[in-house]
Amino acid sequence: MELFKYMETYDYEQVVVCQDKESGLKAIIAIHDTTLGPALGGTRMWTYETEEAAFEDALRLAKGMTYKNAAAGLNLGGGKTVIIGDPRKDKNEAMFRAFGRYIQGLNGRYITAEDVGTTVDDMDLVYQETEYVTGISPAFGSSGNPSPVTAYGVYVGMKAAAKEAFGTDSLEGKTVAVQGVGNVAFTLCQHLHEEGAKLIVTDINKEAVNRAVEEFGAKAVDPNDIYSVDADIYAPCALGATINDETIPQLKAKVIAGAANNQLRETRHGDIIQEMGIVYAPDYVINSGGVINVADELLGYNRDRALKKVETIYDKISTIFEISKRDNVPTYVAADRMAEERIETMRKSRKQFLTNGMNILSRGRR
């Protein structure tokens, strides 16, 4: 790939290629934008078919983190790391220690965390070499498992979406179709159940489904039937791209609000559901509770403070709806604009500050 051309087109700042022969480390650190602060983004370990595919994934994910962190109101930019390898058999202590030394060499421009294919134990190894890592064990002052906080953010964001669609943010009596009942979704179901919502759930993991049925009185359906059920809200909480040409015609829900990443298979599907009058809470905003939570570790973790910040997801989702109506654009576009406006405001402020400083110095030399 034409790396410099790609970086220039999408305004990336830096790409760092890391290798350690002894441990087998092959990593790519992509820093997209640090206008708002140091880049924060997790480390993904995956068996990429080609090195080019690994570069493309790192770059794509880093840009996504810029938007996610900006939309969440964090003073952090966007970055991401991918490690090429099989997380089931290629990991070793030396690999993550070496990776930690590379992060330390960036002197705070990039802060990492766990992601697909990496764990808290891996981040603990990184922490042996650098302080620029979050999501480590609670014994080191970390926030621990981020799933409950992510779920809480989805819950408050869903309430904002319900208010837009139904005129009230109460979920009592509303039927929510939850696709996937993993760690985040199970806690989300708990919040919904406590408010009096009716639950329809599905998952390929039958034990997870049975647990939701037993504890929350949820109705279980086949994974292929979750789209067409009579529900007020569809909550995708498993795989991405479930909003697509095949599923959209089946949807009866008036709201889409869930924890999954990359819910739209293509951006045009966001246009289609907007035209249908379905209220869509953009995924990277509503599921930002996890990154908000780990970002609080940088201040010395305080759970109450983190949860109060997570509660602002309600306001962020509401603002997106306002921008959508203001600019007559789908909500996924409005989310991007909200993030871009915040970054551009800071960029102009910094530029003006530097200009004023240069003017003061110039006057001082006369």
Side-chain angles (χ1 to χ4, degrees), residues 291-312:
V291 72
I292 292 171
N293 191 58
V294 297
D296 195 79
E297 294 177 22
L298 303 174
L299 305 174
Y301 186 65
N302 181 297
R303 187 173 179 82
D304 290 339
R305 179 178 60 204
L307 289 176
K308 281 184 170 54
K309 183 71 174 178
V310 170
E311 287 171 357
T312 66

Side-chain angles (χ1 to χ4, degrees), residues 18 55 104 137 142 200 223 242 264-265 275 325 343 351 357 362:
C18 317
F55 270 99
Q104 182 65 23
S137 295
S142 166
I200 301 173
T242 62
L264 304 174
R265 176 165 289 175
E275 293 168 1
K325 288 180 280 191
I343 293 169
K351 185 176 181 181
S362 178

Side-chain angles (χ1 to χ4, degrees), residues 1 9 51 68 95 104 127 224 268 270 287 301 321 330 339:
M1 65 185 297
T9 300
E51 291 180 0
K68 187 166 194 167
M95 172 183 288
Q104 182 65 23
Y127 183 62
N224 293 322
R268 66 182 178 85
N287 69 13
Y301 186 65
F321 296 144

Side-chain angles (χ1 to χ4, degrees), residues 221-239:
V221 298
D222 184 84
N224 293 322
D225 296 335
I226 193 68
Y227 310 105
S228 59
V229 298
D230 286 317
D232 300 295
I233 300 168
Y234 165 54
C237 296
L239 299 174

Side-chain angles (χ1 to χ4, degrees), residues 63-89:
K63 184 179 179 182
M65 288 306 302
T66 294
Y67 280 76
K68 187 166 194 167
N69 292 337
L74 299 174
N75 296 318
L76 294 164
K80 205 77 171 186
T81 295
V82 299
I83 295 177
I84 301 172
D86 188 335
R88 295 167 297 181
K89 62 181 182 180

Side-chain angles (χ1 to χ4, degrees), residues 153-174:
V154 174
Y155 168 66
V156 297
M158 184 182 291
K159 289 176 70 66
K163 185 174 183 180
E164 179 70 14
F166 308 119
T168 174
D169 65 7
S170 174
L171 299 175
E172 184 177 3
K174 293 289 188 294

Side-chain angles (χ1 to χ4, degrees), residues 240-257:
T242 62
I243 304 171
N244 55 57
D245 290 334
E246 292 74 31
T247 62
I248 289 174
Q250 302 178 53
L251 291 174
K252 297 176 183 176
K254 297 298 182 184
V255 172
I256 298 174

